[in-house]
Amino acid sequence: MDNNLKALRAERGWSQAALGDQLNVSRQTINAIETGKYDPSLPLAFKLARLFECAIEEIFDDGEKND
Amino acid sequence: MSPSDAQRRYKKTTAMAMLFYVIVIFSVAFYLKRTDDVAPVLKYILAALPTIFVWWFLWGAIRFYKETDEYERSRLQTGMLFGVIFTMLLSSGWGFMEMFADAPQLPVFWIFPAFILASGVGRLLTKTQPEGC
């Protein structure tokens, strides 16, 4: 699944480790999400959306177009 | 506990368990080789001693599974699955070769090291490379 987590993180000047600390996940987890190797669970996706104050769809793109 | 703390504890626990596993195996082998007239019951008990550290290792993995985050948990699952598949294929395949092709008989205790090795390889296959900020 595509995502713009790296760009959102860069806007705030956070490192992967700093973002991981805020979400209580490891740096490796953030890296795996950013590189598309791992799709987060729904609870973690919600945590990310709340932290970046946006909708989940603004962070993740499953490639399906809405009507 | 943070995921990185959980990972540190997992590495420490498994390294200690493996160290004691090897030490106890060599100690038991040394003792039984040097000592005559060991009661059969004592032999069984001494021979089973290393399994304490097998359990210690697996308990460390179970604790890590509970304490770490979802991605590390999925890596552990993938590694364990890889380990199970590898050891099942290896042990059943070799067993058939022993039965039908007179292959040399291997001690079954090798199953655990083979599982650990394959699990480690399975986890490495899912490892991601760190990126810059």
Side-chain angles (χ1 to χ4, degrees):
Chain A
M1 193 181 288
D2 290 335
N3 67 77
N4 58 4
L5 189 57
K6 191 173 181 177
L8 288 166
R9 182 172 60 78
E11 278 173 17
R12 285 155 179 82
W14 294 337
S15 65
Q16 289 181 339
L19 176 57
D21 286 344
Q22 292 183 73
L23 298 163
N24 198 31
V25 298
S26 64
R27 180 198 57 73
Q28 288 89 343
T29 302
I30 300 300
N31 186 53
I33 296 170
E34 285 185 0
T35 52
K37 288 175 181 163
Y38 177 71
D39 291 332
S41 66
L42 203 51
L44 183 54
F46 270 107
K47 271 186 174 181
L48 279 162
R50 277 192 207 103
L51 185 66
F52 288 111
E53 296 173 324
C54 59
I56 289 176
E57 293 90 333
E58 291 173 66
I59 305 175
F60 297 98
D61 179 13
D62 65 352
E64 300 284 327
K65 292 209 174 194
N66 290 328
D67 291 332
Chain B
M1 176 174 285
S2 73
S4 52
D5 288 339
Q7 195 153 34
R8 259 194 299 277
R9 192 151 85 153
Y10 170 63
K11 283 178 181 169
K12 192 177 165 189
T13 303
T14 50
M16 292 286 283
M18 285 299 92
L19 179 68
F20 282 110
Y21 176 75
V22 172
I23 289 171
V24 169
I25 287 172
F26 280 101
S27 303
V28 168
F30 183 78
Y31 174 76
L32 290 177
K33 203 171 182 179
R34 292 285 179 107
T35 314
D36 297 325
D37 299 331
V38 181
V41 176
L42 184 61
K43 269 189 184 175
Y44 273 96
I45 292 169
L46 288 173
L49 268 183
T51 56
I52 292 171
F53 303 100
V54 173
W55 167 244
W56 190 4
F57 182 96
L58 295 173
W59 172 76
I62 292 166
R63 189 176 59 181
F64 178 62
Y65 185 86
K66 289 178 180 172
E67 290 175 346
T68 194
D69 66 37
E70 59 184 57
Y71 170 65
E72 291 298 331
R73 200 173 293 134
S74 80
R75 282 188 63 213
L76 189 65
Q77 284 170 341
T78 306
M80 291 279 181
L81 189 62
F82 197 87
V84 167
I85 291 169
F86 177 80
T87 44
M88 291 298 114
L89 283 174
L90 186 72
S91 56
S92 60
W94 193 264
F96 288 128
M97 285 193 276
E98 282 180 9
M99 277 199 306
F100 302 127
D102 294 327
Q105 198 168 15
L106 288 179
V108 288
F109 80 84
W110 281 111
I111 287 176
F112 178 65
F115 169 74
I116 295 304
L117 192 71
S119 299
V121 171
R123 282 193 78 193
L124 281 176
L125 291 176
T126 58
K127 196 175 177 73
T128 59
Q129 297 302 312
E131 283 194 354
C133 299

